[in-house]
Amino acid sequence: MLIAAGCSSDSGDSGSGSGGDKAAGAGATVSASASAAPTVQAATYKSLPESCGVLSSKTLKSLVPKAAKSGKKGTSEAGTRGSCSWSSLDNNGVKGSQFRWLNVSLLRFDSDTSRGTGEAQAAKYYEQQIQDAQSVAGAKNAKSQAVSGTGDAATLVRYDLKKKEGAFKQQTVVSRVENVVVTVDYNGAGLAGDKAPSADALAQLAERAAKEAVTAVSAANGEGAASPAPSESASGSKAPSKSASPSASKSATESASKSASPSKSAATKS
């Protein structure tokens, strides 16, 4: 009887200890796996504004006075990417014409465990956009300079580009605000004998557009409020010359627009 009881008691203690060890071991494995899982800081901005609505009517009047109000929407993906362009041709008949082309591109990056934070990805893309703007084939007199008061970082790249339609003065402003990169491409040319526009004046307008676009991104994510667009009557528009031919003007605009876009300005996410 004593031997049987002793065996029974030892057997019970041994089984209880074995089960406890297994449970403790399983819990430790789960805990270790959970703590080892990679994490990444969430991206600051979760959305983007409508690309064709980031600039006020007053700003558009200054940059592209003869362009359609709505702009031409490019490739877009809600909340992730978007672009919009405007073409303007001020036809002065035998005196020539002034052409302007504007494009605004927005690209937002989400945080990802394999790629890193949205901000880090945006910073890398920001540098890539600057390099692309600086390496456009045929660019002459290229210059780069920092732009203040525009997001977390901004750079202006400017150069001259000779096309069959005329000599274009290109201005590209690349800006980063948190995990979003805004690229503003703006250029102008005097066509059919008209004089070339001032590169400095174009640069100031491009910087103004970039600041406004960056503000629109922040406002779309609940930071501050976007300034209301001034009424159309607030800034007058110069009436077209009577000698300008509508059909000729349209043809010239389409031709200049095709050659105005820098070869590497389109925003594409790798």
Side-chain angles (χ1 to χ4, degrees), residues 175-270:
S175 311
R176 182 184 71 80
V177 54
E178 300 292 354
N179 55 307
V180 176
V181 175
V182 178
T183 304
V184 172
D185 283 308
Y186 182 53
N187 62 47
L191 307 179
D194 205 349
K195 66 179 181 179
S198 164
D200 289 340
L202 295 180
Q204 290 178 0
L205 289 171
E207 290 179 18
R208 170 181 168 183
K211 285 181 172 66
E212 199 165 303
V214 165
T215 298
V217 171
S218 298
N221 287 274
E223 292 189 3
S227 300
S231 63
E232 293 300 322
S233 59
S235 59
S237 176
K238 179 182 171 185
S241 169
K242 293 182 179 179
S243 62
S245 168
S247 59
S249 175
K250 180 179 179 181
S251 176
T253 300
E254 292 176 347
S255 176
S257 296
K258 289 179 180 179
S259 65
S261 176
S263 59
K264 296 184 179 181
S265 65
T268 55
K269 184 177 180 180
S270 58

Side-chain angles (χ1 to χ4, degrees), residues 70 115 186:
S70 58
R115 292 177 175 236
Y186 182 53

Side-chain angles (χ1 to χ4, degrees), residues 25-253:
T29 301
V30 172
S31 177
S33 298
S35 62
T39 59
V40 63
Q41 183 179 351
T44 302
Y45 289 157
K46 306 298 183 183
S47 63
L48 290 176
E50 174 59 41
S51 58
C52 289
V54 296
L55 301 180
S56 67
S57 58
K58 182 178 180 180
T59 295
L60 289 172
K61 283 287 185 182
S62 297
L63 276 75
V64 281
K66 300 298 181 182
K69 298 176 183 178
S70 58
K72 183 179 180 181
K73 191 173 183 178
T75 302
S76 63
E77 185 178 341
T80 301
R81 71 174 68 220
S83 66
C84 193
S85 62
W86 296 261
S87 294
S88 170
L89 183 68
D90 189 356
N91 194 328
N92 297 309
V94 296
K95 295 182 179 180
S97 57
Q98 284 291 320
F99 176 76
R100 300 289 185 272
W101 181 80
L102 171 67
N103 185 79
V104 178
S105 297
L106 311 170
L107 189 58
R108 186 183 66 83
F109 294 84
D110 274 321
S111 294
D112 183 88
T113 53
S114 61
R115 292 177 175 236
T117 65
E119 284 77 3
Q121 294 178 64
K124 182 178 179 180
Y125 183 73
Y126 165 77
E127 295 295 340
Q128 178 187 322
Q129 284 290 85
I130 295 173
Q131 292 176 12
D132 286 349
Q134 293 172 332
S135 59
V136 171
K140 303 292 184 182
N141 304 318
K143 298 178 182 178
S144 300
Q145 62 190 64
V147 178
S148 61
T150 306
D152 298 308
T155 299
L156 166 68
V157 179
R158 49 194 291 186
Y159 54 82
D160 299 333
L161 194 60
K162 183 71 175 179
K163 296 284 187 176
K164 64 180 181 180
E165 292 82 8
F168 290 80
K169 302 288 185 179
Q170 173 69 33
Q171 318 294 320
T172 298
V173 180
V174 185
S175 311
R176 182 184 71 80
V177 54
E178 300 292 354
N179 55 307
V180 176
V181 175
V182 178
T183 304
V184 172
D185 283 308
Y186 182 53
N187 62 47
L191 307 179
D194 205 349
K195 66 179 181 179
S198 164
D200 289 340
L202 295 180
Q204 290 178 0
L205 289 171
E207 290 179 18
R208 170 181 168 183
K211 285 181 172 66
E212 199 165 303
V214 165
T215 298
V217 171
S218 298
N221 287 274
E223 292 189 3
S227 300
S231 63
E232 293 300 322
S233 59
S235 59
S237 176
K238 179 182 171 185
S241 169
K242 293 182 179 179
S243 62
S245 168
S247 59
S249 175
K250 180 179 179 181
S251 176
T253 300

